[in-house]
Amino acid sequence: LSETALKEYKNKVIETIGKKKETAIHDAVAQEQIERNPPSQEILMAEGCGRTLCYDATFGRYFYSDIETLRHAANKLNRQMTVMGEAYVSLNEFYAEINLPMVDAGYSLGWNLYKGQIELEFSSQLANGTTPCLVMSFGIMPDYKYTET
């Protein structure tokens, strides 16, 4: 119910104020998340799967990757659901695709072909005021009942 309410709310916000203003609000929220949870020096020095500092807005984790790797992972898993007939994937399957450590909740959360596939949203922000950071969030949040059709 809350996922449906969130989708309806987001659609109404876009309808009421327009896509550009909604994007500006989304970006402002992303910047606030980074300011509340800045990257540590260890993160900034860490090796990763790409050259861009990224922030997982869902679990507040920093990692290195790039936008194409993230999109490729979402497309691969969406294809797995549609073409390969698996119907659902877990959040941890997505994290494994982008070489992020799994999270406990990632076994219980996921996407279902019939409820909505993985939809990534991005925002470009500055971490610590100077370091470019790609904020990754989900347009369709992973659901606890993703294995149910």
Side-chain angles (χ1 to χ4, degrees), residues 10-80:
K10 185 175 180 177
N11 289 338
K12 186 54 79 176
V13 167
I14 292 170
E15 179 185 315
T16 304
I17 66 172
K19 182 65 178 162
K20 284 184 181 181
K21 287 183 180 178
E22 186 275 335
T23 299
I25 292 169
H26 182 265
D27 289 347
V29 169
Q31 185 62 45
E32 284 182 13
Q33 287 178 310
I34 286 179
E35 288 170 2
R36 280 193 312 263
N37 181 22
S40 67
Q41 195 58 36
E42 294 85 40
I43 293 293
L44 294 175
M45 303 298 287
E47 294 292 322
C49 296
R51 301 184 126 185
T52 304
L53 180 65
C54 299
Y55 180 74
D56 171 15
T58 304
F59 282 92
R61 303 186 296 171
Y62 286 93
F63 61 101
Y64 281 93
S65 189
D66 58 72
I67 198 164
E68 290 309 314
T69 299
L70 301 173
R71 285 182 175 151
H72 176 75
N75 290 339
K76 179 180 177 183
L77 293 173
N78 285 337
R79 183 177 181 274
Q80 184 176 312

